[in-house]
Amino acid sequence: MKNSEVAKVFQDIADLLELKGENVFKIRAYQRAARAIEHYPKELKIMIEEGEGLQSIPGVGEAIAKKTTELVTTGKLGYYENLKTEFPQGIVSLLAIPGIGPKTANKLCSELRVSSVDGLERAINEGWVAELFRLGDKAAHNMLHQIRALRRKDQRIPIGEALPVVEEIMVALSAIPGLRNLTPAGSLRRFRETVGDIDLMGSADNPTEVIDTFVALPQMGQVLAHGSTRGSAIVSGGLQVDLRMVEHHSFGSLLQYFTGSKQHNISLRERGRKQGLKLSEYGITVVTADKLERFSVEEEFYHRLGLQHIPPELREAQGEVEKAEQRAVPKLVELSDIKGDLHTHTQWSDGHDSIEELALAAKDMGYQYMAITEHSAGRGIAHGLSGERLRNQVAEIKALNERLTGIHVLSGIEVDIRANGTLDLPHEILSELDVVIAAVHSAMYQGEETMTKRVIGAIENPDVDIIAHPTCRLIGEREPVNIDLEAVFQAAAKNNKIMEINAMPDRLDLKDIHACRARDLGVKLAIGTDAHSIAHLGFMRFGVGVARRAWCEPHHILNTLPLAELLAVLNRNR
Ligand code: DGT
Ligand code: CA
Ligand code: CA
């Protein structure tokens, strides 16, 4: 249990005692302890393990020290559990929301008959809460914000949400003189699809100044730690950001250690041990000489262990250390290898921008081509294209290609795979297109056998080039459909069909391990953003992250091919 969690329990106890009308000195004692513990620089867990008396913390007396020990060692506190049973469940759950104290909770319960967090959310949305407390919209909105943060407390955050947050922080810090090497580490640097928290590393002439600026940034909510080399705070939405600073000459070791993964570091430490080396976040110690070697850049750290540098995306203890030893680390695909986007939508269906606007944006990104792949009409949503409108679009794209230079627009479609595995546009029309993507958008509840047959039906259809978002999952929202991917990949390999890595950050479908398996089986992959606006073209980096985690090199990815070669591959199905 973290200090902040212990503090929260004592604050809750104080709130409940207040509701109960208890002695004010008793209430104050819990409040004081909560505050002292929350800001205490040392982990209570470590103090207890090391036998350090908790009463050395100002505001913590004998009784609270005893309760703290119980809480930290067992994760529960009998006194608190008993106390909670004296109140309706509703009040207790409202008190758990930061910013809601006993008076507010009581009033919400008695006057609005709100008895749960869900109920409170409804009452806020319907305007009752703002009215009850004569609050402005902003204060009510803040309450909503806290509710969301509370709900996601135990949840991992999609990388698509986390990366922009950390980039904003990096921009805000970038002006500090003497600050160098500011880099996200942890799961974010390894491009995992979700992150538990954000780890940010850097080096500076004056680390303390960077930490001070960091914790005082306007986007920071609760500050969890504020030391001379480390700061930790919660940004809006409940995401925790840890910043660590070292001197320049130690940055490589710091970055290596906190990039992880934990399992990767364990493999490295094991290897070091056999060489008489001890690894840590400070560097590498030659055990016999008791001498610490520092590393300003990460590459040198790996070289010192007799290894090739290992890209962060591979650091998941999947055999990467052995490969680095054999000097056989693959040269992974990079964003700059991507020559075009093969999955986009425009105003013709449910997208935001015109074909030309999207094409010009793609050109600015350095692409050679992009495919326009609207939905087909059968879906009955989002202005899917009928055969006739699709033909009109093909004509418009043809005219556009005659006008545009430096970018080639491909005519395509994201055709719906019907529940029975047939496509909802006929061969006569599909055969006129440059690229045909097929995807499931409905009847997602089907059993595994039916769904697998359905998708393989599309793979075996000669009009289809690519299968998009093969599992239909939405991270944190929708489970993947029931499908035997192994059978799907076998069919794709046999029929020379391409599987998509959908780069939209809430999809990332195929995900890393599936893309890896498809690649193993010799299936070519395409990375498409599924862009519905110009801004979405930027999702490509998330798709590349998945491909890198799947050990993909440029030749595994269809859209690293230059235009002429791409057309040759696509034409083989025509
Ligand atoms: P997350 O935050 O759950 O998405 O995953 P990570 O990998 O970012 O994990 P995190 O934030 O707990 O720690 C960042 C890195 O620091 C982790 O990947 C490896 C390193 N690290 C943290 N704690 C330990 C540890 O107890 N042992 C070792 N060997 N490394 C650790
Ligand atoms: Ca992390
Ligand atoms: Ca962390």
Side-chain angles (χ1 to χ4, degrees):
M1 216 179 201
K2 291 187 194 154
N3 290 10
S4 56
E5 292 166 318
V6 175
K8 181 79 179 62
V9 170
F10 287 134
Q11 184 56 52
D12 284 353
I13 291 175
D15 289 348
L16 291 173
L17 292 176
E18 191 176 334
L19 270 182
K20 215 174 143 178
E22 269 280 0
N23 171 330
V24 60
F25 294 104
K26 193 167 166 184
I27 297 169
R28 292 250 172 82
Y30 281 103
Q31 286 171 337
R32 206 166 42 237
R35 267 198 306 276
I37 288 170
E38 183 178 353
H39 297 295
Y40 204 66
K42 200 159 175 187
E43 289 277 348
L44 297 174
K45 196 166 142 256
I46 293 171
M47 291 177 74
I48 292 168
E49 277 166 16
E50 291 175 354
E52 194 175 331
L54 296 178
Q55 289 182 59
S56 58
I57 304 172
V60 174
E62 194 188 332
I64 288 185
K66 215 167 135 221
K67 288 194 172 76
T68 306
T69 307
E70 181 184 338
L71 196 52
V72 171
T73 50
T74 70
K76 260 195 157 99
L77 177 59
Y79 172 74
Y80 177 48
E81 298 303 319
N82 286 334
L83 187 62
K84 282 197 284 192
T85 61
E86 295 177 33
F87 298 88
Q89 179 52 38
I91 288 218
V92 177
S93 55
L94 292 185
L95 282 175
I97 302 169
I100 295 192
K103 284 202 197 69
T104 309
N106 211 3
K107 203 161 167 178
L108 287 167
C109 283
S110 58
E111 295 189 30
L112 294 182
R113 307 245 159 265
V114 166
S115 61
S116 67
V117 178
D118 287 346
L120 177 60
E121 188 177 19
R122 264 195 307 278
I124 294 171
N125 283 330
E126 288 166 8
W128 296 108
V129 175
E131 199 175 302
L132 176 68
F133 295 104
R134 298 179 203 287
L135 289 171
D137 276 351
K138 200 162 168 219
H141 181 81
N142 190 40
M143 228 183 239
L144 266 187
H145 197 74
Q146 297 292 359
I147 291 175
R148 295 212 179 105
L150 184 74
R151 284 210 180 111
R152 68 164 30 156
K153 210 174 119 213
D154 298 321
Q155 268 181 26
R156 302 179 58 82
I157 315 270
I159 188 166
E161 277 180 51
L163 195 56
V165 170
V166 71
E167 283 171 342
E168 202 177 292
I169 293 170
M170 289 167 71
V171 168
L173 296 178
S174 63
I176 300 175
L179 171 62
R180 277 191 247 159
N181 295 316
L182 199 58
T183 316
S187 49
L188 192 69
R189 183 164 181 240
R190 305 196 313 277
F191 257 88
R192 278 195 60 178
E193 62 190 40
T194 60
V195 302
D197 68 359
I198 292 178
D199 307 281
L200 192 56
M201 308 292 135
S203 67
D205 301 343
N206 182 355
T208 309
E209 183 193 354
V210 181
I211 303 290
D212 292 347
T213 312
F214 168 77
V215 297
L217 288 176
Q219 55 264 61
M220 294 305 169
Q222 192 189 1
V223 174
L224 305 173
H226 182 179
S228 59
T229 58
R230 178 173 169 243
S232 178
I234 308 278
V235 289
S236 56
L239 186 57
Q240 181 175 332
V241 186
D242 293 336
L243 173 66
R244 284 171 204 272
M245 299 298 302
V246 280
E247 293 173 342
H248 304 303
H249 64 245
S250 291
F251 178 73
S253 329
L254 180 82
L255 181 63
Q256 195 291 318
Y257 183 88
F258 285 104
T259 295
S261 68
K262 197 169 163 180
Q263 286 308 318
H264 171 82
N265 286 354
I266 289 172
S267 328
L268 285 189
R269 270 210 305 271
E270 183 59 18
R271 183 183 169 81
R273 207 176 48 77
K274 291 185 191 142
Q275 301 172 338
L277 304 173
K278 197 168 160 289
L279 279 50
S280 74
E281 67 224 80
Y282 307 106
I284 296 178
T285 309
V286 183
V287 177
T288 49
D290 195 23
K291 178 173 163 285
L292 176 70
E293 298 174 16
R294 300 172 209 273
F295 298 87
S296 60
V297 294
E298 199 184 47
E299 279 78 359
E300 315 256 293
F301 187 96
Y302 281 92
H303 295 166
R304 178 67 180 84
L305 295 170
L307 299 172
Q308 246 181 318
H309 183 246
I310 301 175
E313 294 91 340
L314 297 187
R315 299 184 198 170
E316 299 289 354
Q318 303 287 325
E320 69 278 8
V321 178
E322 291 72 16
K323 283 276 189 271
E325 182 170 28
Q326 299 153 7
R327 323 216 75 66
V329 172
K331 200 175 168 318
L332 300 180
V333 60
E334 290 176 21
L335 189 55
S336 58
D337 293 319
I338 301 295
K339 304 275 192 322
D341 199 329
L342 293 177
H343 189 163
T344 69
H345 299 267
T346 74
Q347 287 163 355
W348 280 72
S349 63
D350 56 348
H352 180 270
D353 301 305
S354 72
I355 300 176
E356 181 163 0
E357 285 163 339
L358 217 54
L360 291 175
K363 181 180 166 179
D364 280 346
M365 292 170 72
Y367 287 166
Q368 297 181 8
Y369 52 83
M370 70 172 315
I372 306 294
T373 55
E374 313 288 5
H375 296 291
S376 58
R379 260 183 89 197
I381 64 144
H383 311 288
L385 299 198
S386 63
E388 193 192 334
R389 288 188 67 220
L390 182 54
R391 282 209 166 101
N392 292 340
Q393 190 185 60
V394 171
E396 181 177 309
I397 289 174
K398 192 157 175 272
L400 189 63
N401 276 329
E402 279 163 20
R403 270 198 294 123
L404 292 181
T405 55
I407 185 89
H408 184 80
V409 183
L410 301 171
S411 285
I413 190 79
E414 180 183 2
V415 64
D416 193 40
I417 307 174
R418 295 188 189 124
N420 65 5
T422 60
L423 303 180
D424 95 275
L425 282 170
H427 167 73
E428 297 74 65
I429 292 169
L430 296 177
S431 59
E432 289 171 23
L433 303 173
D434 297 317
V435 55
V436 174
I437 298 180
V440 166
H441 298 98
S442 57
M444 294 189 187
Y445 49 80
Q446 290 177 331
E448 181 174 304
E449 203 176 319
T450 314
M451 182 60 85
T452 306
K453 256 173 82 182
R454 175 181 179 185
V455 172
I456 291 179
I459 288 174
E460 289 173 345
N461 187 319
D463 289 325
V464 171
D465 301 300
I466 302 174
I467 301 293
H469 47 73
T471 77
C472 298
R473 69 145 177 191
L474 293 175
I475 295 172
E477 267 175 60
R478 185 168 70 209
E479 289 299 303
V481 296
N482 300 309
I483 188 164
D484 178 355
L485 283 177
E486 185 71 17
V488 167
F489 297 158
Q490 303 272 8
K494 188 164 148 221
N495 291 276
N496 255 317
K497 295 300 167 73
I498 295 139
M499 302 298 297
E500 182 185 72
I501 295 174
N502 190 292
M504 208 175 240
D506 56 354
R507 286 196 186 265
L508 300 181
D509 181 11
L510 298 173
K511 66 191 246 169
D512 48 12
I513 51 172
H514 295 149
C516 191
R517 180 63 187 153
R519 178 191 55 70
D520 259 347
L521 291 172
V523 179
K524 195 100 157 180
L525 298 158
I527 309 176
T529 61
D530 212 342
H532 283 64
S533 71
I534 288 172
H536 291 174
L537 293 174
F539 291 158
M540 188 56 80
R541 59 177 171 165
F542 300 112
V544 171
V546 172
R548 289 170 64 85
R549 289 179 60 82
W551 293 63
C552 286
E553 299 172 57
H555 67 91
H556 295 120
I557 306 294
L558 178 71
N559 45 323
T560 60
L561 291 179
L563 178 62
E565 289 175 43
L566 174 84
L567 290 174
V569 171
L570 293 174
N571 278 337
R572 118 196 122 190
N573 297 329
R574 291 285 165 276

